[in-house]
Amino acid sequence: MNQIVKGTLNHLIKQNRSLHLSSVQCLTAKEKQARSAIKKYSKKSQLKPILISPQMTIRELADSMDRSTQQVFDCLKQINYNIKTNRDSYVITNLESIIKVIQLSGFRYQMPGPLETDFESLEKELDSKDDGIAKRDRPSPSSLVTRPPVVTIMGHVDHGKTTLLDSLRDSHIVESEFGGITQHIGAFNVRDKNKNRNITFLDTPGHAAFSLMRSRGAIVTDIVVLVIAAEDGVMAQTVESINHAKSTGCPIIVAINKIDKASEQQIQNVKRELLKYDLIAEEMGGDVQIVPISALKKTNLNLLKEVIWTQAEIMELKGDAKGLLEGYVIESTQDLHMGKLATVLIKRGTLSKGAFLIAGGTWCKVKFLFDENAQNVKKAGLSEAVRVAGWKDLPNSGDEVLQVNSEHRAKEICELRHKKESLAKQKIDQEIIKKKRAEHDQFYHEKLNEKRLAGENYAISKIEPEEKSDSHVNSSGHIEPSDVSKLHILIKADVNGSLEAILNVLETYNCSDKVILDVVHFEVGPVKKSDIEMVEMFNGIIYCFNLSRNEAVEKEAESKIRHFNVIYKLFDDLKLELNNLAPLIEQEELIGEADILKVFDYNESNKKVIKIAGGRCVEGHLDRKLSFRLVRNGECLVEKQKCKSLKHVKQDVNTIKRNVEFGFAFDDDDVQPQPGDKLVCYNVKMVRSPLDWNFGF
């Protein structure tokens, strides 16, 4: 018996050797060269694996294996890695290539384990360097001076907010607004030269897409003027504006607009509607001042300004005009000629050229100051809104602006803020990694226990085999079906606030199961050559909002760039593009119906008996080229059936009109129609599945 087993084993060994030799003979020259490289450099794997990192120089990799740099170069050449230089300091950025070099050299590799960061000590260290970033102490009452009120104009779309500002300062703002909609926050200074009084007005958008901007306008303001069209009354964004104003504790002055078109009854109706929101007019025993106006006809505008100044006197608005500046970024934009600009509302101090400012993670040495008429000014005082040029990067709308004494201090603070932001992100990432690792370990131990309970005394691999899936993970970490179409877009906007509003609407997109919307890049400023290259790489579309055309750059990819000046038109076009990529679904179109009155047996030439249905068309018409279904007592018996024969008075026809009798035979002889059945003719079309995306406006 042992001799038989031994003979069998010898036979298998010889057979295996012959197979091995034949496989070696079939190797290509390239594979033979690889085998020789392995034989040249490899030796038995070390007990201690080689510790690698995602980026290693030639020298680091050679030293980690205790081999020469020439060996690393030979291995890289063997795996067709494109080496740009023969220097030992050349960095290998491809982790997979590093692993292949390790394996070709006969070693095992090991990735460094995750390092636990002591975030608490790092945060304490950064906080200890935070001196000087905070705002100054409260000023003494003796140093305070009266300051102009900051008034925010709020209200619903097309209720006349921008027209009101246009009339207040005798400008032509409305002509520059597309579609009659204010697209971003505008700041304007209105002056009364006779009494040396000023008002700073903030014009916030009334469109629903700009809810965040309206909220920001309420935060920096002293008084809210709520504009309501008398003929429309209280609308959705009107209520939202009331809530924003109440949340900040700002007093509200109501301006009932368009009284030149409305009746007295409509004005009174608006006052009654406001009672629902606890806005009670003075004439009704409340404390809310209501001024009927006509912004277009300039009726009662002086009265409105007097009411605002009276309210400001009651509030005793004061501020400190000396010392380092404090303020807020109202809006920021990128200008082709002036560079990065930010509209700054001054809350404390005086701003002049040459000052060093910080806002968020960026800083600025003030080069120029402009008023609302684009006129150069030397300095700006309390409650004034001016455009500041000289920013290194665009600040975000709503960022607090602080003045520092030197450029060095400004850079130091910005660097410190970037470190804090990076540390906060690392902290969040580490928490996610810990959670994922814990889930993986739990899965691993559960599977290991299952193996042991089943009597298998071996461990399973910690790396689960990849499962074939119809999905992939995108750059944001979300799982996306691989068979779903994707639309790549780039967003370019005129100002930071408009960009925020567009991105907020894009976050409401909820149809990724049909079409994936991928925002590749977004930025404030005109289209650049790099944007063209990016959109061509992704085969996407650049959506430009409220930007002038850059013919020199855009000529290269004119079909890929869409310009819009009204936000809802931009999203209408985007939705149309998404609908064009939506999956096809079957849609039935009813063509006609007929009643089957009688059924006849008909003998064909092959002596086969088929059923002929005789009936009358009662709705539409019947077309023999389309599909048919048979309905009995409201229940569908068969569908998607074809017509074998359609006759009228013994003549073959293609169609049967309404109230015409016919003879009909199904292509499927097994279908058995009966008198009283209904024959339905319909057409099946492939149409795009509509996207149910509600923008919120």
Side-chain angles (χ1 to χ4, degrees), residues 545-590:
F545 182 71
N546 214 7
L547 292 173
S548 58
R549 294 180 183 273
N550 188 351
E551 299 293 344
V553 176
E554 297 183 20
K555 190 176 180 180
E556 300 177 11
E558 192 173 350
S559 61
K560 298 285 187 181
I561 303 172
R562 311 277 174 85
H563 281 271
F564 295 94
N565 296 321
V566 180
I567 191 169
Y568 62 77
K569 290 185 179 180
L570 184 152
F571 281 101
D572 286 343
D573 184 88
L574 177 57
K575 189 172 182 179
L576 181 62
E577 289 292 336
L578 290 166
N579 275 318
N580 291 337
L581 294 175
L584 293 171
I585 58 172
E586 289 186 354
Q587 186 180 72
E588 289 187 5
E589 180 186 9
L590 182 64

Side-chain angles (χ1 to χ4, degrees), residues 366-403:
V366 180
K367 293 182 180 179
F368 300 102
L369 295 174
F370 302 99
D371 63 9
E372 70 275 8
N373 298 314
Q375 297 299 313
N376 203 339
V377 295
K378 293 182 178 179
K379 58 174 62 178
L382 291 172
S383 297
E384 286 192 62
V386 288
R387 301 188 91 182
V388 179
W391 295 93
K392 300 304 175 184
D393 291 301
L394 276 180
N396 295 319
S397 301
D399 281 350
E400 188 175 38
V401 180
L402 299 174
Q403 183 181 357

Side-chain angles (χ1 to χ4, degrees), residues 202-241:
L202 301 181
D203 179 25
T204 64
H207 201 280
F210 297 88
S211 173
L212 179 63
M213 295 171 67
R214 281 199 304 280
S215 173
R216 187 181 300 125
I219 290 172
V220 298
T221 193
D222 300 313
I223 301 169
V224 171
V225 172
L226 184 65
V227 179
I228 305 174
E231 53 189 0
D232 293 335
V234 177
M235 304 290 283
Q237 274 77 54
T238 313
V239 177
E240 189 180 324
S241 299

Side-chain angles (χ1 to χ4, degrees), residues 509-551:
Y509 183 70
N510 56 353
C511 304
S512 296
D513 57 329
K514 295 180 180 178
V515 183
I516 296 168
L517 178 58
D518 181 24
V519 182
V520 178
H521 180 64
F522 54 85
E523 189 180 28
V524 173
V527 177
K528 298 178 293 188
K529 191 172 181 180
S530 59
D531 299 324
I532 303 293
E533 293 172 352
M534 191 179 300
V535 78
E536 287 178 347
M537 183 187 303
F538 286 95
N539 191 24
I541 301 172
I542 300 177
Y543 280 96
C544 301
F545 182 71
N546 214 7
L547 292 173
S548 58
R549 294 180 183 273
N550 188 351
E551 299 293 344

Side-chain angles (χ1 to χ4, degrees), residues 462-663:
K462 285 195 175 184
I463 303 176
E464 291 81 24
E466 293 184 3
E467 297 181 0
K468 291 184 178 180
S469 175
D470 294 332
S471 62
H472 70 279
V473 180
N474 66 5
S475 57
S476 303
H478 300 293
I479 297 176
E480 298 174 346
S482 58
D483 58 345
V484 176
S485 300
K486 181 182 289 189
L487 178 65
H488 305 278
I489 64 171
L490 280 75
I491 304 294
K492 304 286 289 188
D494 58 338
V495 293
N496 188 271
S498 298
L499 181 63
E500 281 186 9
I502 292 171
L503 295 176
N504 286 338
V505 178
L506 289 174
E507 287 182 0
T508 66
Y509 183 70
N510 56 353
C511 304
S512 296
D513 57 329
K514 295 180 180 178
V515 183
I516 296 168
L517 178 58
D518 181 24
V519 182
V520 178
H521 180 64
F522 54 85
E523 189 180 28
V524 173
V527 177
K528 298 178 293 188
K529 191 172 181 180
S530 59
D531 299 324
I532 303 293
E533 293 172 352
M534 191 179 300
V535 78
E536 287 178 347
M537 183 187 303
F538 286 95
N539 191 24
I541 301 172
I542 300 177
Y543 280 96
C544 301
F545 182 71
N546 214 7
L547 292 173
S548 58
R549 294 180 183 273
N550 188 351
E551 299 293 344
V553 176
E554 297 183 20
K555 190 176 180 180
E556 300 177 11
E558 192 173 350
S559 61
K560 298 285 187 181
I561 303 172
R562 311 277 174 85
H563 281 271
F564 295 94
N565 296 321
V566 180
I567 191 169
Y568 62 77
K569 290 185 179 180
L570 184 152
F571 281 101
D572 286 343
D573 184 88
L574 177 57
K575 189 172 182 179
L576 181 62
E577 289 292 336
L578 290 166
N579 275 318
N580 291 337
L581 294 175
L584 293 171
I585 58 172
E586 289 186 354
Q587 186 180 72
E588 289 187 5
E589 180 186 9
L590 182 64
I591 305 299
E593 291 185 3
D595 292 333
I596 296 178
L597 305 176
K598 197 170 183 180
V599 178
F600 306 92
D601 290 335
Y602 176 74
N603 293 319
E604 289 187 321
S605 57
N606 56 4
K607 297 183 180 181
K608 184 177 180 180
V609 179
I610 63 172
K611 297 289 185 181
I612 302 295
R616 179 183 289 109
C617 181
V618 294
E619 291 289 342
H621 68 278
L622 306 182
D623 190 334
R624 67 179 301 165
K625 296 178 182 179
L626 301 180
S627 299
F628 292 85
R629 71 163 58 96
L630 188 64
V631 180
R632 183 175 299 160
N633 297 326
E635 182 181 352
C636 179
L637 299 181
V638 291
E639 59 180 343
K640 294 184 179 179
Q641 293 293 316
K642 294 298 180 181
C643 173
K644 177 189 287 187
S645 175
L646 183 64
K647 293 188 177 185
H648 173 62
V649 192
K650 297 185 179 181
Q651 290 185 350
D652 289 326
V653 293
N654 290 324
T655 59
I656 296 292
K657 296 182 180 179
R658 187 178 179 183
N659 293 327
V660 175
E661 294 185 347
F662 62 89

Side-chain angles (χ1 to χ4, degrees), residues 20-39:
H20 175 71
L21 289 172
S22 62
S23 63
V24 170
Q25 290 171 358
C26 294
L27 291 175
T28 63
K30 188 176 180 180
E31 289 169 336
K32 289 178 180 179
Q33 192 176 359
R35 284 177 177 263
S36 63
I38 295 172
K39 185 176 180 181

